[in-house]
Amino acid sequence: MGRVVTLVKTENEEDKVYGMAYEIHSNNMEKTFENLHFREKCGYSLKEVTFYPHNDLECKPISCICYYANEDNSYYSPSDDLSLISAQIYKSIGPSGTNKDYLYNLCNALRILLKNVNENCNNEEITRQESHLFLLETLVKQLETNSAI
């Protein structure tokens, strides 16, 4: 069993989720959702959310569909033990590849996205904004380094 990064519900209206929205052509809709439903199985729900494009004054908010994990998901694991989580990420492989590559790609994409959102933001500020995710990245890289020794 692997690990994924998932959205969790918050009561804080100031919380933000940064990410990308993709438009799916109607010809590809059925196959795309078939693949996503396979990948996001075992207790994920779809939720319609409002996406606010950044740095595009011409674009109005758009309606998007987002997957999120339910706590009744059989794979839902709210553990706060980062050493256990990082070990699980390090060794897990799923249909889309290794969990560690997924984590590394997510962190790199998030760094780029946060820099574009906050042009005056330095790496320290970016790391603070997503400290949990970037700490996991550091721990997994340490496991990788230690296993190479």
Side-chain angles (χ1 to χ4, degrees):
M1 175 172 63
R3 276 271 179 184
V4 296
V5 176
T6 190
L7 300 176
V8 292
K9 188 175 181 176
T10 181
E11 300 301 324
N12 183 352
E13 299 212 5
E14 299 299 313
D15 284 345
K16 296 178 182 174
V17 175
Y18 293 97
M20 301 292 291
Y22 297 92
E23 183 175 9
I24 302 167
H25 191 278
S26 59
N27 293 347
N28 300 325
M29 194 84 64
E30 185 177 334
K31 183 66 175 165
T32 299
F33 275 104
E34 181 182 309
N35 290 334
L36 284 170
H37 292 330
F38 173 77
R39 181 183 165 164
E40 309 295 343
K41 59 186 172 226
C42 299
Y44 287 87
S45 295
L46 291 173
K47 179 173 176 70
E48 190 170 331
V49 297
T50 302
F51 181 82
Y52 300 90
H54 176 70
N55 281 347
D56 192 344
L57 301 176
E58 308 266 329
C59 282
K60 295 183 182 199
I62 55 175
S63 178
C64 292
I65 296 173
C66 183
Y67 284 89
Y68 68 96
N70 300 317
E71 289 185 22
D72 60 350
N73 176 331
S74 59
Y75 295 114
Y76 187 82
S77 179
S79 171
D80 289 334
D81 186 336
L82 294 183
S83 63
L84 290 175
I85 295 170
S86 61
Q88 189 175 17
I89 290 171
Y90 174 73
K91 66 181 181 183
S92 296
I93 300 172
S96 299
T98 67
N99 284 195
K100 66 182 179 180
D101 285 342
Y102 179 91
L103 174 67
Y104 298 161
N105 289 333
L106 176 63
C107 288
N108 289 334
L110 195 53
R111 283 186 188 94
I112 292 166
L113 185 63
L114 288 173
K115 262 197 170 159
N116 289 335
V117 170
N118 304 309
E119 285 98 10
N120 299 322
C121 198
N122 61 29
N123 283 339
E124 189 175 297
E125 177 64 16
I126 291 169
T127 302
R128 185 194 63 73
Q129 288 180 1
E130 292 294 339
S131 60
H132 177 81
L133 189 63
F134 294 124
L135 181 53
L136 276 173
E137 178 189 40
T138 299
L139 292 171
V140 172
K141 285 184 176 184
Q142 286 173 353
L143 289 170
E144 204 166 28
T145 299
N146 292 343
S147 73
I149 296 175

